[in-house]
Amino acid sequence: MAPAAKEEPAAMSAFERKRLENIANNNAILSEISTTAAKIIPKPAPPKPKRPSAPRVKREPVQREPLRPTRQSSRLAGLGADADVLKRKAEVEAEVEAEKAKAKKMRISGDLNLGDIQVEGRKWEAGLDGLAGLKGLPVRGAQPGVRTFTDEDVKSTTDKGLKDLRLRMSGLKLYEKWPVQDIKIVPQRIYSMGFHPTEAKPIVFAGDKEGAMGVFDASQEPSKVEDDEDEEAELPDPVISAFKTHSRTISSFHFSPVDANAVFSASYDSSIRKLDLDKGISTQVFAPADPDEDLPISAIDMATSEPNIIIFSTLQGSLGRHDLRTKPSTAELWSLTDQKIGGFSLHPLHPHLVATASLDRTLKIWDLRKIQGKGSARAPALLGSHESRLSVSHASWSSAGHVATSSYDDRIKIYSFPDAGTWSAGAELSESQMAPTREIPHNNQTGRWVTILKPQWQRSPRDGLQKFVIGNMNRFVDVFAADGEQLAQLDGEGITAVPAVAHFHPTMDWVAGGNASGKLCLWM
């Protein structure tokens, strides 16, 4: 059988031929692009071989020197470049500054001559000359048991009398011989004030926060200006004397009941001093035996019947009694509370009764006739107490048996003990007896820069009507009667700060107020 003939491939269409040509052209273009790119783009460098990791070595921390004070020129100081000399110099300077700071707050135990401790400044350049008019003041005798307010006086009081009293007290005028801004009685904030008991002329004492005592005689007359036609001529400053009698805040003044030339002052520097106005000498009469012992004294008081006994309270919560005829080491000190006693007072007619006000929020009545307990627990008998919502700043007895307190719950409380003279030694007072008879709303929030507001009674009012004064945060001084009725709100032109420290003259209707700038407001 003959083999089959081979089939001829089919003829390629024009479309297929064109497709193959396009594929061939595209491949040629791609090949050409790859060749050109290989010539332009450099080949990547071969990777570097990895080095074997070495073990980490711990480094010791670098010790940095502490910062040193700013360098000073040794050449100008005349010193060489010796590091030991410079170091010793810095140590000596630091020691000197520390000693100066310590010495500034240390109390001075010896007698002080006022001529040597005069406060510097133009306002107080009068010095001892300013006290010349205080010499020869009449001697005041003690008047124990003399009542200036009786039950009959209370019964006979009518609304008309209250009105007359209000008119009289509101009629007090601000001192006009000098403006308030010119009567800068002490350099710093006033913490305590007192009127000399003489009725011959108003003499005001003030103590400031740094231990300076100022004295102002309000009876002086301004010096005449040479050129009367010059209306703008500056008025000469008043004569004011100021002395650095203490190293810290002067907290209280008291005037001897028998010696018109004796003024007692107490301070946070733990000392009580007696100033002799006639001799110009300030003598320390009490201080702890150890000069490093801190016993800040908050208040002092004396009985007219016992002119040699001084009672004092401390910020450590204790009450002390010292006989001025004995050594300070023999003074009695009783711990009454764990918190500070801000103020206290003796009953003017029954001085064995003590009213204390404390940070523990209480008013307490104590009897010095009965000292009980042993050792550190020894203390006067506690007759009764009354607790307020917040701390009580001061407790002030009137001669008629009222106690006025100020406290941080914005209240003035008046307590009445008309029969205090009949109490037996150590008698216990009931809760109802210790309750206040009147509470007066009063802003007592003094803050940091204003001295604490404290009520002060007129000790022996000539009219027999009991009244007290207290500073007002609205830049007034308030006057209240014993029944809580307000008698006046004293003000005047030029009062630009709160006269927080207010004080009544013992017998005259003279009122003094002191502010944080050391300036005096006086109403007469």
Side-chain angles (χ1 to χ4, degrees):
M1 179 174 179
K6 291 183 180 181
E7 294 181 3
E8 293 291 335
M12 185 178 298
S13 66
F15 173 79
E16 182 66 17
R17 187 169 49 252
K18 185 64 177 176
R19 186 180 70 82
L20 293 177
E21 288 178 0
N22 288 341
I23 292 174
N25 291 335
N26 290 337
N27 289 336
I29 292 171
L30 290 176
S31 177
E32 185 179 356
I33 291 174
S34 299
T35 304
T36 304
K39 293 179 180 179
I40 297 174
I41 301 175
K43 295 181 180 180
K48 297 180 179 180
K50 294 183 179 181
R51 295 181 180 180
S53 59
R56 295 183 179 180
V57 179
K58 293 184 179 180
R59 297 182 180 180
E60 296 182 359
V62 179
Q63 295 183 353
R64 298 182 179 180
E65 296 183 359
L67 296 176
R68 297 180 179 179
T70 305
R71 294 182 60 188
Q72 297 179 354
S73 173
S74 300
R75 177 179 60 81
L76 296 179
L79 299 175
D82 189 348
D84 292 337
V85 173
L86 295 178
K87 182 179 180 181
R88 179 56 184 163
K89 175 192 171 185
E91 292 175 352
V92 171
E93 290 178 350
E95 292 174 359
V96 170
E97 291 299 324
E99 289 296 327
K100 286 182 179 180
K102 182 179 180 180
K104 188 176 180 180
K105 293 187 177 182
M106 288 289 290
R107 64 176 180 270
I108 303 173
S109 57
D111 293 350
L112 299 176
N113 190 315
L114 298 188
D116 299 331
I117 58 174
Q118 180 178 334
V119 174
E120 296 180 356
R122 182 173 62 86
K123 286 283 186 182
W124 311 283
E125 61 185 4
L128 286 172
D129 295 337
L131 302 183
L134 277 60
K135 295 183 179 180
L137 293 172
V139 177
R140 299 169 55 249
Q143 294 180 317
V146 177
R147 294 184 60 86
T148 59
F149 191 73
T150 64
D151 292 338
E152 289 298 321
D153 295 326
V154 176
K155 293 178 181 179
S156 62
T157 301
T158 62
D159 291 341
K160 182 178 182 302
L162 177 60
K163 181 179 180 180
D164 292 342
L165 180 59
R166 283 176 167 172
L167 289 173
R168 179 159 58 85
M169 296 307 302
S170 298
L172 298 181
K173 299 298 182 182
L174 188 65
Y175 187 71
E176 296 179 346
K177 294 180 181 179
W178 279 275
V180 172
Q181 299 303 317
D182 289 348
I183 314 177
K184 189 173 177 64
I185 191 170
V186 286
Q188 302 295 329
R189 188 209 305 186
I190 295 176
Y191 265 75
S192 56
M193 298 191 75
F195 266 105
H196 193 283
T198 181
E199 297 180 357
K201 50 188 173 182
I203 302 172
V204 183
F205 288 73
D208 75 3
K209 64 176 294 186
E210 293 187 354
M213 178 186 68
V215 186
F216 176 67
D217 181 356
S219 68
Q220 61 183 287
E221 295 293 336
S223 301
K224 294 183 178 180
V225 181
E226 295 181 0
D227 188 0
D228 295 335
E229 296 180 358
D230 186 2
E231 296 181 356
E232 297 182 357
E234 185 177 354
L235 183 69
D237 287 332
V239 176
I240 301 174
S241 299
F243 309 96
K244 193 75 163 60
T245 54
H246 292 273
S247 61
R248 293 174 64 186
T249 301
I250 296 179
S251 56
S252 183
F253 285 102
H254 195 81
F255 299 86
S256 171
V258 294
D259 184 359
N261 289 313
V263 182
F264 294 90
S265 59
S267 171
Y268 290 174
D269 67 5
S270 309
S271 71
I272 301 174
R273 302 190 73 90
K274 176 184 177 181
L275 171 63
D276 190 318
L277 296 173
D278 190 39
K279 298 179 180 178
I281 299 295
S282 175
T283 304
Q284 180 175 285
V285 296
F286 173 80
D290 184 356
D292 294 328
E293 182 179 353
D294 191 26
L295 191 69
I297 298 174
S298 57
I300 54 174
D301 203 352
M302 301 177 73
T304 55
S305 57
E306 295 180 308
N308 292 310
I309 304 297
I310 192 163
I311 310 295
F312 60 92
S313 61
T314 75
L315 297 184
Q316 296 177 350
S318 56
L319 187 73
R321 179 168 62 184
H322 174 53
D323 190 331
L324 300 175
R325 298 162 295 186
T326 64
K327 296 181 179 180
S329 58
T330 63
E332 299 175 272
L333 195 64
W334 308 298
S335 179
L336 304 185
T337 176
D338 293 334
Q339 302 190 48
K340 78 173 185 179
I341 296 177
F344 86 100
S345 63
L346 304 178
H347 191 303
L349 301 183
H350 310 291
H352 54 271
L353 298 177
V354 183
T356 60
S358 174
L359 191 63
D360 64 7
R361 304 181 298 173
T362 63
L363 159 73
K364 294 180 179 179
I365 308 294
W366 309 83
D367 193 340
L368 296 179
R369 294 174 299 179
K370 186 176 182 181
I371 309 298
Q372 53 193 12
K374 296 182 180 180
S376 60
R378 185 174 171 81
L382 176 62
L383 305 186
S385 67
H386 180 265
E387 185 172 340
S388 295
R389 189 171 59 86
L390 296 174
S391 66
V392 185
S393 303
H394 186 56
S396 180
W397 274 106
S398 77
S399 56
H402 306 94
V403 176
T405 66
S406 56
S407 50
Y408 273 93
D409 58 1
D410 288 339
R411 291 289 186 274
I412 297 173
K413 300 182 182 71
I414 301 177
Y415 305 78
S416 182
F417 306 102
D419 59 344
T422 65
W423 295 344
S424 60
E428 294 185 5
L429 302 180
S430 65
E431 184 176 344
S432 60
Q433 286 178 294
M434 289 300 303
T437 57
R438 181 71 186 271
E439 293 192 23
I440 307 169
H442 195 267
N443 181 11
N444 298 326
Q445 305 300 317
T446 54
R448 180 178 181 183
W449 306 111
V450 177
T451 304
I452 295 173
L453 306 181
K454 298 181 178 182
Q456 300 288 350
W457 292 93
Q458 189 174 26
R459 198 172 183 90
S460 305
R462 298 178 70 178
D463 57 9
L465 300 176
Q466 303 296 326
K467 46 193 174 292
F468 66 87
V469 291
I470 186 172
N472 184 298
M473 289 300 292
N474 289 345
R475 299 180 181 176
F476 304 109
V477 169
D478 293 329
V479 186
F480 290 96
D483 59 1
E485 294 290 338
Q486 185 158 3
L487 303 179
Q489 192 168 74
L490 305 179
D491 61 356
E493 186 178 355
I495 301 177
T496 59
V498 179
V501 184
H503 212 83
F504 233 134
H505 185 276
T507 57
M508 306 293 289
D509 288 340
W510 299 338
V511 177
N515 64 30
S517 300
K519 295 173 183 176
L520 170 67
C521 307
L522 180 61
W523 291 270
M524 300 170 62

